[in-house]
Amino acid sequence: MSKPIDPAAAARKPAARRVLAASGFTLSALAAAVALALSATPALGDAQPGGNRHSGQYIFRFDTFGDEQLWTSVLRMHEVIPAAVSPATALAVGLKVDATALPRNFLAKHDLNDPKTTVELLRRNAVVGVVGKVKGRRLVSVGITCALCHSTVDNSVAPGVGRRLDGWPNLDLNPGAIIALSPALPEEVKAVYNSWGPGRYDPRFNIDGINGPLVIPPAYGLAGVPFETFTGDGPISYWNNYVAVTQMGGHGSFSDPRLGISIEQTPDLVTPKLPALLAYQLRQPAPRPPEGSVNAGAAQRGAALFNGTARCGTCHIAPTYTDVQNGPDADTPLLHDAAETGMDPGYARRTATGRYRTTPLRALWQHPPYFHDGSAPTLGAVVDHYDTHFALGLTPEQKADLVEFLKSL
C-alpha cells in the first residue's frame, strides 16, 4: 500500500507536476458526518452494510474503495467530527440522513447539537455517502462513497432526512466548506475550498492547482450515453475510476497519459467493482417532472421550436438529447470547441480532450444551475444564452415555450 500524499503539499504543486501519489488528494467529500434525524421507523433496504457487497447498489452506497487512507490517515476527519461536527452543523452544510437506518423517535432521544450524536449516526450507517467505523464510543476511521455527491433524500421525515434518491446530485452539499475543516490544510488552501459554495466541486484542482469548481452533475439517466462527463474524457467507468482513485482517495489504480497521471496501488480495490457500479448507475431513471409543473400546450409548441427555429435539436438529438455518439466510431466521442456554443473554455483546457460534449438533457427541472460551471441559474437563462450566441431572435413567448419543453424532459 502506497503512502498517502500530504494534501497541503499536493495543493501547492505547480500545474506541470501532475502525477499523483498513490492515494490522490480529494476535495470531494465530507469531513463532517451527518444530519438531523427525526422520528423514523426502521425499514432497512437490501443494500445496507452486511448485504451483498458485490452488488452495484452496495458499492454505490457503502463502498469506500479503501479511501480511509486519505480521509482518516491524512485529513484526520475522524478527529474533526467528534470534536466539532454536530448533526445540526452537518445538515447545514448539506449532508443527508437515511431515515430508514434509524429507529423510531431517534430525535427525541439525542441532542442534535452534540457531535456525539453524529458519531452515533455514523455507527448506524445513516449518513448518506459517509462511512465511519466506531469502536465503543470512539470514531476510529472515516471514508466516503459515490453516494456522497450523487445521492440525496426525499425529505419525507424532515429537510435533509428521508429515503435515499440515488443518482440525484446533492446540490445542497458544500464539499469545500467541509473539507476545509481538516487540520491538515494550510489557511490559503482552505480559502480555495471555502470559495466553492454548495453544489460545486473541482475534480481537477488537486491535479493542476487551478480553482474552477463545477456543478455536481446527476448520475441518473445515463443509459445510452457512454461519455458522461462534461468533456467526454472517456466512458462512464473511466470517470468512476478517475474519481474513486484521484478524488476520493481510494486504494486502486488509474492511468491516463493525456493527463500525466499514473497511479498504481496493490491490491486494486476499485477496478474489479467498476462493472457492477456501472450496471447500477445505468438502472437509475431520470425523474419525471412533478405532476402539474409543466404547461403541456406550451411544451408542445416548445418542442416544435426546439427542433425547428431554435435549432437545439441539431446537437441535442433525441432520445438522449446529445450528439456525443455521432462521432467517427463507438470509442470516439463527438465533441465541440467552447467557441461553438459560447462556453467558457477554461475548464476544457484542463481536461484530456480540451473540448465539451453536448449535454444529454434529462430531468432538467430537478438540477439547476446549468452549464458545467453553473453560469446559467435558470432554464430561462440557458435559452437566453443560446438566443444571443446564435442570434436566433426568439420572442419572449417563444423563449417561454422552450423553457416549458425543457422542463418536460
Side-chain angles (χ1 to χ4, degrees), residues 176-378:
I178 296 168
I179 195 62
L181 294 172
S182 171
L185 302 176
E187 292 303 316
E188 63 270 22
V189 175
K190 292 184 179 185
V192 173
Y193 301 151
N194 282 321
S195 72
W196 290 354
R200 298 173 192 252
Y201 171 73
D202 190 333
R204 311 280 183 182
F205 174 66
N206 64 304
I207 296 173
D208 61 20
I210 298 172
N211 182 18
L214 309 179
V215 174
I216 296 173
Y220 53 56
L222 302 183
V225 187
F227 298 97
E228 185 45 313
T229 68
F230 290 120
T231 54
D233 299 64
I236 295 169
S237 289
Y238 164 96
W239 191 247
N240 288 340
N241 193 14
Y242 173 90
V243 171
V245 176
T246 74
Q247 303 303 297
M248 294 168 63
H251 196 272
S253 299
F254 176 83
S255 177
D256 188 338
R258 298 173 301 176
L259 297 172
I261 297 175
S262 180
I263 301 171
E264 184 175 352
Q265 299 178 93
T266 303
D268 186 340
L269 303 181
V270 176
T271 305
K273 300 165 184 174
L274 293 176
L277 177 60
L278 174 62
Y280 182 65
Q281 290 173 313
L282 295 181
R283 293 199 302 270
Q284 305 311 305
R288 300 300 303 168
E291 186 175 355
S293 64
V294 176
N295 182 314
Q300 186 173 11
R301 294 191 299 270
L305 286 165
F306 186 92
N307 293 300
T309 302
R311 307 201 305 269
C312 312
T314 303
C315 294
H316 294 282
I317 302 171
T320 57
Y321 292 97
T322 178
D323 61 359
V324 72
Q325 293 172 280
N326 287 29
D329 60 71
D331 297 324
T332 304
L334 177 64
L335 304 173
H336 301 273
D337 291 333
E340 291 183 49
T341 55
M343 293 293 107
D344 181 346
Y347 178 70
R349 291 174 182 147
R350 304 166 61 198
T351 71
T353 68
R355 309 175 81 193
Y356 292 111
R357 65 92 168 88
T358 298
T359 299
L361 308 181
R362 73 278 200 214
L364 296 177
W365 64 272
Q366 190 274 320
H367 59 87
Y370 305 99
F371 299 147
H372 67 281
D373 56 1
S375 56
T378 65

Side-chain angles (χ1 to χ4, degrees), residues 141-157:
S141 71
V142 174
I144 65 167
T145 77
C146 302
L148 177 66
C149 291
H150 299 291
S151 287
T152 185
V153 296
D154 63 6
N155 299 326
S156 55
V157 175

